[in-house]
Amino acid sequence: MTTMIRCTACGYHIPVAVFASSRDGACPLCRRPVKAVLLPAMRHVPGGGGPPALPEEPPAPGEAVCFYSPNRRATRTCSHCGVFVSEAWSAQWGSEHVCLKCLDELRGRRKDVRFEVRRVLWDNIALGTALLPFLLCVPLMLLGPFGVMLMVLPLMGSVVTAPLALGFSIYAWKKPRSMVPRGPWRTISALVLSLLQCAAWGFFLVAGMTQTFLR
Ligand SMILES: [Zn+2]
Ligand SMILES: [Zn+2]
């Protein structure tokens, strides 16, 4: 049974008894008003009855039996592996129903975007790579005249990072973005920035070559 409720303002553990008569109370520590809704489950004593379970429905003769529990009537088939499953042993997965074993596998494999828990943010990588030479210039600039001279190094490095960032942006364009909804501006910025850098390098190289060969 839960006996404490955390104050949302100061984090103090307020005894549930404060809310016994009314859902409005005050935090004994910070004195701020706290509203608490005590759900019946909060009064549930662990060990006193166990977790709620769906009632067993033994199948009638001739009826399909749940693959996982012989005491349950199968009500559907797993859309993933095809076994007969009861209500208690299946779960909804988007628009499909799958058995709990398949659900576990699908979640573990992380192939299904609906249950993905982490994702590589290629748009961030692309933008980071496109900005890297300039970001490296900032601390160098603060070093004074010597640092400003060193700025040539990251700027020269962009001959590598620019095409790399261009590749990442094209890759990021095809990949799903963050699970938190966000627009394509990172990918677009990375694409524009890396294209500009590539164009600048292309221009320098072509200009350099014509200078060398046409002299
Ligand atoms: Zn408080
Ligand atoms: Zn299955």
Side-chain angles (χ1 to χ4, degrees), residues 107-124:
R107 292 184 60 165
R109 249 191 286 150
R110 299 192 183 124
K111 283 261 168 68
D112 196 306
V113 285
R114 288 167 293 182
F115 266 80
E116 223 174 352
V117 287
R118 59 183 63 208
R119 194 180 282 172
V120 178
L121 300 176
W122 287 102
D123 54 349
N124 273 7

Side-chain angles (χ1 to χ4, degrees), residues 27-80:
C27 171
L29 190 67
C30 69
R31 308 256 155 233
R32 257 174 259 215
V34 180
K35 196 187 273 280
V37 181
L38 302 183
L39 299 173
M42 292 192 78
R43 295 190 195 91
H44 175 76
V45 185
L54 287 176
E56 288 192 350
E57 275 181 278
E63 270 187 327
V65 182
C66 174
F67 180 77
Y68 298 101
S69 164
N71 294 332
R72 293 180 188 277
R73 187 164 60 91
T75 49
R76 55 184 91 229
T77 52
C78 168
S79 11
H80 205 70

Side-chain angles (χ1 to χ4, degrees), residues 119-129 165 167-178 182 186-187 190:
R119 194 180 282 172
V120 178
L121 300 176
W122 287 102
D123 54 349
N124 273 7
I125 294 175
L127 189 57
T129 313
F168 283 148
S169 333
I170 294 167
Y171 189 65
W173 192 259
K174 291 189 232 149
K175 283 274 165 187
R177 284 194 292 271
S178 163
R182 64 183 194 193
R186 283 180 177 81
T187 318

